[in-house]
Amino acid sequence: MNVSLELSDADVDELNAFLSRVKGGVITNAEALDGFFAALACCPDLVMPSEYLPVIQSGATSDGDLVFESIDEGHRFTELTSRQWNHVNQQLDREGLYLPLLLEDAKGDVRGTDWANGFLQGTYLRHSIWAELFEDEERGGPLVPIMALAYENHPDPEIRPFKTEIDEAKRNDLLVGAAAGVMRLHGHFLKQRSRYTYSSTTFVRDRPKTGRNEPCPCGSGKKFKKCCGSRSMLH
């Protein structure tokens, strides 16, 4: 049975409340988290929770980090982020259709800027892999609408892609293009996954490569192909 992992509106509100406690963090809300996870899901090299969770929970300084008031709070935050991670992967790996989680601003408008910036933050965790696309004008086309949304309000006017505020029709085109771009990027990287294993020494045990039928390095006791190797599992 294919169980939906999509967060409810109440879940999103709860996740936003957690993320709002982070002062100066790069993942500001559930929309940015969805973009962040979309980039990680596309990347052929698996990024483990012990690497990406600190990015989500870290503020500009240690005083701004997310601190839980109880063990139950920590478990709830992990549950919400895990479900969102799994939902993004489920869409791309099984359903072939990705719909970004986009929030309305104070005016009731959907802008997509937070999502796009979250996506770029996700690419930074495997910069060497993504750099090839960012520097390739031909193959990097799917990144164009994402970067346009991310840099729309950049502090440096010279970096902004538009000199004046874009209208609703143009924004919708960018949002559709960004979602389609994620699916194209996922397909582009899919054939490269076999080239990558755990690149960070944080996750490597005694050998450089984990076979699909070997125990998962995360310690779950499951085979790698049934656990982290499926890319849709988080525990």
Side-chain angles (χ1 to χ4, degrees):
M1 182 174 66
N2 186 18
V3 179
S4 175
L5 298 163
E6 186 173 7
L7 300 182
S8 67
D9 290 344
D11 291 332
V12 171
D13 289 342
E14 191 175 359
L15 184 54
N16 283 334
F18 276 122
L19 294 172
S20 69
R21 295 190 202 173
V22 183
K23 306 306 178 185
V26 295
I27 305 300
T28 54
N29 53 33
E31 176 179 312
L33 182 68
D34 186 81
F36 181 71
F37 281 160
L40 300 188
C42 289
C43 183
D45 191 22
L46 182 63
V47 180
M48 295 288 281
S50 54
E51 185 176 0
Y52 68 66
L53 282 175
V55 177
I56 299 170
Q57 297 177 228
S58 296
T61 67
S62 58
D63 290 338
D65 291 353
L66 176 60
V67 177
F68 301 113
E69 297 178 0
S70 67
I71 293 177
D72 288 342
E73 269 200 354
H75 288 166
R76 179 58 175 164
F77 178 78
T78 301
E79 176 191 347
L80 292 170
T81 53
S82 298
R83 281 176 55 195
Q84 188 58 27
W85 163 257
N86 290 333
H87 176 57
V88 170
N89 277 277
Q90 184 182 68
Q91 290 182 86
L92 290 170
D93 287 339
R94 302 176 188 175
E95 299 171 12
L97 176 64
Y98 170 70
L99 298 176
L101 192 166
L102 301 173
L103 304 176
E104 293 183 351
D105 63 15
K107 297 180 180 180
D109 298 325
V110 174
R111 305 189 66 83
T113 305
D114 289 341
W115 179 91
N117 278 293
F119 187 96
L120 293 186
Q121 289 295 329
T123 68
Y124 299 156
L125 292 185
R126 292 294 183 270
H127 179 265
S128 62
I129 295 175
W130 285 95
E132 297 179 10
L133 281 184
F134 279 104
E135 297 169 1
D136 190 323
E137 293 185 3
E138 182 177 346
R139 294 184 301 156
L143 291 166
V144 172
I146 299 173
M147 295 174 67
L149 288 167
Y151 296 147
E152 179 186 1
N153 299 312
H154 195 279
D156 184 352
E158 296 298 320
I159 297 180
R160 297 174 191 171
F162 310 106
K163 302 304 179 184
T164 58
E165 186 172 354
I166 61 176
D167 59 23
E168 183 177 356
K170 179 61 176 178
R171 186 174 302 282
N172 286 338
D173 286 344
L174 290 173
L175 292 173
V176 171
V182 169
M183 292 184 284
R184 289 175 60 191
L185 291 165
H186 183 265
H188 169 79
F189 282 128
L190 187 62
K191 53 194 173 187
Q192 299 183 30
R193 287 187 181 176
S194 61
R195 293 168 46 192
Y196 293 90
T197 54
Y198 296 109
S199 60
S200 171
T201 55
T202 303
F203 313 121
V204 176
R205 293 297 188 261
D206 296 329
R207 50 198 165 204
K209 182 176 181 179
T210 302
R212 287 175 52 77
N213 290 311
E214 294 175 2
C216 187
C218 75
S220 67
K222 300 179 182 178
K223 291 183 179 180
F224 178 67
K225 66 181 180 181
K226 295 293 186 180
C227 194
C228 293
S230 72
R231 298 182 63 87
S232 296
M233 293 296 295
L234 177 63
H235 35 106

